[in-house]
Amino acid sequence: MSATTHPRPGTRTARVALAALCTAGLALTAAACTNSGTASGGSSSTGAAAAAGANAQQTAAATGAAGPACTYQSYGGSGVPKLTIGAGTKIGFSQSESTTNPFRATETASIVAEAKKVGVTLLQANANADVNAQNSQIESLIAQGAQALIVAPENSDGLAPALAEAKAKKIPVLTIDRTAGTACQNVISFIGSDFTGQAEAAADDLAKATGQKAKIAILTGTPGNNVAVDRTNGFRNELKKYPGMSVVAQQTGQFAETTGQQVMAQLLQAHPDITAVYAENDEMALGAIQAVKAAGKTPGKDVKIVSIDGIQQCVEDVSSGVMAADIETNPRFGPLAFQSLKNFYSSTGVPANVIIKDQHFDDSGLAKQALASGNVY
C-alpha cells in the first residue's frame, strides 16, 4: 500500500450498500457509463472532449460509499467558510497528466462541462505527470482565488506541500481518481474506482483466458500512487487462487504507452516463455501489444493480455480478440465532483470514499455491445 492514511476502497466482495450513497445524494443518475467518447490510445483529446461535453448530463453512477461524512464545519479541525457552489464561485481543477491520454481528456471534459452547467468559474492547470509542477500549480490556483479545489493527483504521496498550503488557507480539496492525504483533514474525500476489485477481476479474466496456466508479465503503474499499489497487490493476491499461473517478470511502464512498449520488449527478450500480460492501464497495454507483435508473436493467441481503463481502442481489441479482457476505469467525474462539493457545504456531507460504477469487458460480446452503444471513451 502507499503511504496514504486514506481508507482503502472496498473490494468486490466487501462493498458498502448503494443505499448509503443515495442517502448522501451522490447517486446522480441511474444510467451509468453512458458517455460516448471516441478517442483511442495515442490520439488527440478532441474526440473524448467533444463527447464528454456533448453528454455532460450523463455520468457514472456511484456504487458505494464508506467512512464518516465530512462537512465544511468539520473539515481540518477548523471551520471552512461557507460557500455556495454556483455563479461567482471560483473552483480550481488540477489535472495530473496530458489530455492526449483518452482517460484524462474525458475526465477533464467532464469537469469542464459540469462547471459550466453549475455556473462556476473554473481555474485549470495540467501538471503533465510532474508532481512537483502539480504542487506549484495548486499553489498558483490558490493565489488566483480558488475557493475550493478538485485535484486528480499525479502521486498519492507527493502533494503534501500543496495540501498544507490549501489547509492553511482553509481551502478544501476534493481528490478524484487517485487518493492523496487524509479524509476530512487535508482532503474532503476520494471519488474513484475500486482499484483492488479491478485487479482481482483482471486476475480472474487472465485465468479464464489461459486455462489457469500461464507465465505472466506485469506492467505496473507509476510508483508512489495508490492506483498502482492496489492494482498490483489485488492482482497478486487473487492470483494465489490459481497455482498454475506464475509471475515471471514485473516492471513499471509508468502508465505510458511508449514506456510500456519498451519495457515489454525487454521482458520478452529476457523471458521468451511469457504467455500472458497484465497491464495496469490501457496505455501500457497498447504498448505491450506492439512489443508482442515486434517479437514475432500474436497478441490474443500466443500472449493473452488483460488491462484496466476501458478506452475505446482497447475495447475494440477485446472485441477483435487481440486482448482477452479490459476493466473500465470510469473518468466521468464532473457531476459527482460538483455534487460532492455542494454536499460538503451542507449538513449532508461527503463520505471518505465514493466508489463509482465501472464496466467490465470480459468477452467480445460485451465489448461489441459497448462499442455499438457508444458507452466507451
Side-chain angles (χ1 to χ4, degrees):
M1 297 293 292
S2 61
T4 178
T5 56
H6 209 79
R8 184 179 65 79
T11 64
R12 289 184 297 158
T13 56
R15 296 188 187 277
V16 179
L18 176 60
L21 193 58
C22 295
T23 301
L26 289 173
L28 302 182
T29 175
C33 314
T34 52
N35 208 21
S36 54
T38 57
S40 62
S43 69
S44 72
S45 63
T46 305
N55 297 286
Q57 75 280 10
Q58 298 174 326
T59 185
T63 62
C70 182
T71 69
Y72 73 100
Q73 294 167 312
S74 60
Y75 184 81
S78 59
V80 171
K82 180 71 181 288
L83 184 65
T84 299
I85 303 298
T89 307
K90 287 186 177 181
I91 304 296
F93 173 51
S94 174
Q95 176 59 275
S96 60
E97 297 169 9
S98 170
T99 51
T100 57
N101 180 321
F103 179 93
R104 298 299 169 185
T106 305
E107 180 180 62
T108 296
S110 179
I111 295 292
V112 170
E114 190 65 16
K116 182 177 181 179
K117 180 179 178 182
V118 173
V120 305
T121 298
L122 189 69
L123 309 174
Q124 297 186 65
N126 192 307
N128 288 306
D130 184 335
V131 70
N132 293 321
Q134 189 165 40
N135 273 294
S136 298
Q137 288 174 354
I138 290 172
E139 291 169 359
S140 176
L141 292 172
I142 293 170
Q144 293 174 55
Q147 296 163 286
L149 294 163
I150 299 170
V151 175
E154 166 59 22
N155 187 300
S156 297
D157 303 327
L159 290 181
L163 295 181
E165 175 74 7
K167 184 175 180 179
K169 298 290 179 64
K170 299 185 185 298
I171 298 171
V173 178
L174 179 69
T175 60
I176 59 174
D177 83 56
R178 291 175 185 167
T179 63
T182 304
C184 214
Q185 291 189 29
N186 55 359
V187 299
I188 297 171
S189 174
F190 160 74
I191 302 176
S193 295
D194 175 3
F195 305 122
T196 299
Q198 290 176 327
E200 292 169 349
D204 293 338
D205 289 340
L206 206 54
K208 178 181 177 182
T210 61
Q212 302 185 21
K213 294 182 179 179
K215 293 185 177 181
I216 306 166
I218 300 178
L219 295 178
T220 63
T222 308
N225 74 72
N226 71 299
V227 179
V229 171
D230 287 354
R231 286 181 181 170
T232 300
N233 291 345
F235 181 84
R236 280 185 166 276
N237 287 335
E238 187 74 2
L239 211 63
K240 293 175 183 177
K241 294 166 51 177
Y242 307 106
M245 304 179 70
S246 61
V247 176
V248 297
Q250 176 177 311
Q251 189 169 332
T252 180
Q254 300 290 345
F255 280 142
E257 180 174 346
T258 300
T259 307
Q261 181 175 352
Q262 294 169 344
V263 170
M264 192 66 227
Q266 294 167 1
L267 295 182
L268 285 168
Q269 287 181 347
H271 304 275
D273 57 346
I274 287 171
T275 59
V277 175
Y278 165 50
E280 292 183 0
N281 83 334
D282 281 356
E283 293 289 307
M284 294 189 297
L286 293 174
I289 289 169
Q290 296 306 312
V292 169
K293 290 179 178 178
K297 299 176 184 290
T298 302
K301 181 181 178 182
D302 301 319
V303 181
K304 305 292 186 180
I305 300 171
V306 170
S307 181
I308 301 173
D309 265 355
I311 68 172
Q312 181 169 327
Q313 182 59 60
C314 285
V315 178
E316 290 176 355
D317 286 341
V318 174
S319 176
S320 65
V322 173
M323 288 177 56
D326 197 19
I327 299 95
E328 182 189 47
T329 303
N330 201 315
R332 305 171 189 97
F333 293 101
L336 277 172
F338 280 97
Q339 184 61 53
S340 294
L341 287 177
K342 290 179 181 179
N343 289 349
F344 172 75
Y345 286 107
S346 72
S347 59
T348 301
V350 186
N353 290 297
V354 178
I355 307 306
I356 67 175
K357 182 177 178 63
D358 295 323
Q359 299 183 92
H360 186 185
F361 311 109
D362 59 352
D363 64 46
S364 60
L366 292 173
K368 286 182 172 65
Q369 290 174 20
L371 292 166
S373 62
N375 288 355
V376 292
Y377 60 91

